[in-house]
Amino acid sequence: MGSESQDKLKRSGSDVDPHTPVLRISQLDALELDSALEQLLWSQFSQCFQNCRPGLLTPVEPELRALLHLLLWRFTLYSSSATVGQSLLSLRYHSALSSSSRFRPLSRRQKLGLALLGAGPRWLQERSHTLLLGLGLNSGGPAVCEGDTGLLQRGLRYCLTLVSSIAQLSSLVNFLVFLRNGRHPVLAERIVGARAVFSKPNVVRDVAYQYMNRELLWHGFSEFLIFLLPLVNTRKLKATVSSIVFWGNSASGEGGAEGQGMWKECGLCGEWPTMPHTVGCQHVFCYYCIKSHSIADAYLACPRCGAQAGHPEPVKMEVEMMGM
């Protein structure tokens, strides 16, 4: 089966010029798609254990992530010399170690190198602390004193930190070189000699003129809304609409009965007013209702009549006691 897949790759890539440069954005998009797919599969896998004890997968999470990476590698890169992201963008890996002018798929050694360099460093970084602790526990014995063990642990920790710093610096330098020449966005590709090429001849990443017009129009409209919406006083607009639609109809037929009923309910929540306050008009509000709205909107208007609201003041009522 392996030889047949290699023959199919050679026949399908015979018309492809491996020296045709691939856009940098296409290679970066392929990496982002691969990372998104791996994260999606991990989230789906972790949801299978959501009803189990919390933290069940935490002790073995690095190993499970490495296993998931190897499974994806087995059914994508190992089978077709292309990841899922590259397949979606009509790309595949070409062996840069070959001197032939035709497309050459990756060898098994190159594919295995990509798998190990993709999953190995991440697993080692996540397990470095646990490995150092395990080494400290296992190295205690009569032949090794505590001072030597502590010195060994510090030396190993320093070596791991140095190797990690060198690897990150190398990745940064490799990415800068990639921005320069457009090849090998990942350091592992440069090490094993894998280069992204087109999987189909005459593949050009272009954008239709109508699509560009539609995108430009939508982006311009969204930027206009982002600029305009903060300038609109939505509370005042809502109060004005409410006063026109609801309060105008009730005020036309109620008369004096409405004047007495407005003191029995809050103009905001509609309940019996708690600690009744007024803002200068004839309506009454709960203290907490009108205070929270006035803090949120410095130019608050009465939601009933639309009058400009002033500082909330407690309602003062004169009560006349009549003797029996």
Side-chain angles (χ1 to χ4, degrees):
M1 296 297 293
S3 60
E4 292 180 359
S5 61
Q6 295 287 342
D7 295 338
K8 290 181 180 179
L9 288 175
K10 292 180 180 179
R11 290 194 298 268
S12 61
S14 59
D15 297 333
V16 179
D17 184 10
H19 299 287
T20 302
V22 179
L23 295 177
R24 297 171 179 82
I25 187 62
S26 298
Q27 302 181 54
L28 295 178
D29 285 347
L31 294 176
E32 291 294 332
L33 290 173
D34 295 335
S35 177
L37 174 63
E38 187 173 349
Q39 186 63 31
L40 177 62
L41 291 179
W42 173 254
S43 63
Q44 294 292 331
F45 176 76
S46 59
Q47 286 180 1
C48 298
F49 300 89
Q50 62 180 355
N51 296 326
C52 300
R53 175 175 56 86
L56 179 64
L57 301 179
T58 303
V60 293
E61 182 174 345
E63 287 75 17
L64 292 176
R65 287 185 178 273
L67 179 61
L68 178 62
H69 182 83
L70 293 178
L71 287 176
L72 289 176
W73 166 82
R74 172 60 183 84
F75 294 103
T76 57
L77 181 58
Y78 183 80
S79 302
S80 58
S81 290
T83 63
V84 176
Q86 290 178 336
S87 300
L88 293 175
L89 298 177
S90 300
L91 301 177
R92 66 174 55 172
Y93 277 127
H94 165 71
S95 178
L97 303 179
S98 176
S99 59
S100 175
S101 59
R102 294 186 176 183
F103 169 77
R104 295 296 180 183
L106 299 180
S107 62
R108 292 185 178 180
R109 182 177 299 179
Q110 290 174 311
K111 295 177 181 178
L112 183 60
L114 286 176
L116 295 179
L117 292 175
R122 183 174 60 182
W123 175 85
L124 184 61
Q125 183 179 6
E126 295 175 352
R127 279 300 184 193
S128 58
H129 182 69
T130 306
L131 293 176
L132 288 176
L133 291 179
L135 181 60
L137 293 175
N138 295 331
S139 61
V144 182
C145 63
E146 295 182 358
D148 295 339
T149 302
L151 182 62
L152 179 60
Q153 287 183 355
R154 288 194 297 269
L156 289 177
R157 187 178 293 107
Y158 175 77
C159 292
L160 287 176
T161 304
L162 181 62
V163 171
S164 177
S165 301
I166 293 175
Q168 293 177 1
L169 180 61
S170 302
S171 299
L172 176 60
V173 173
N174 176 79
F175 187 75
L176 294 177
V177 175
F178 162 73
L179 295 179
R180 175 68 178 177
N181 57 22
R183 297 181 180 181
H184 309 296
V186 181
L187 184 60
E189 298 179 3
R190 189 177 299 275
I191 294 176
V192 302
R195 182 164 56 89
V197 297
F198 289 113
S199 60
K200 299 177 182 179
N202 299 327
V203 176
V204 181
R205 179 169 174 163
D206 55 356
V207 182
Y209 184 71
Q210 295 180 352
Y211 177 80
M212 290 180 62
N213 284 340
R214 185 166 62 250
E215 287 296 318
L216 290 174
L217 180 61
W218 169 249
H219 282 294
F221 181 67
S222 61
E223 290 179 359
F224 174 73
L225 290 179
I226 292 173
F227 172 77
L228 180 63
L229 288 180
L231 303 179
V232 178
N233 192 339
T234 55
R235 292 181 180 272
K236 187 174 182 179
L237 180 62
K238 181 180 178 181
T240 304
V241 174
S242 299
S243 63
I244 295 175
V245 175
F246 301 103
W247 191 251
N249 296 333
S250 59
S252 59
E254 293 293 337
E258 181 65 23
Q260 298 177 358
M262 67 180 58
W263 295 88
K264 299 180 181 180
E265 65 177 14
C266 173
L268 290 171
C269 64
E271 303 293 335
W272 186 274
T274 304
M275 299 175 62
H277 278 64
T278 181
V279 291
C281 60
Q282 57 182 351
H283 300 99
V284 177
F285 309 91
C286 298
Y287 171 74
Y288 295 104
C289 292
I290 192 61
K291 190 64 177 179
S292 60
H293 280 71
S294 62
I295 292 175
D297 186 3
Y299 303 98
L300 178 65
C302 177
R304 293 289 191 175
C305 61
Q308 186 66 33
H311 184 72
E313 296 180 357
V315 176
K316 298 180 180 180
M317 301 182 64
E318 295 182 0
V319 179
E320 181 178 357
M321 302 295 294
M322 300 184 64
M324 298 297 297

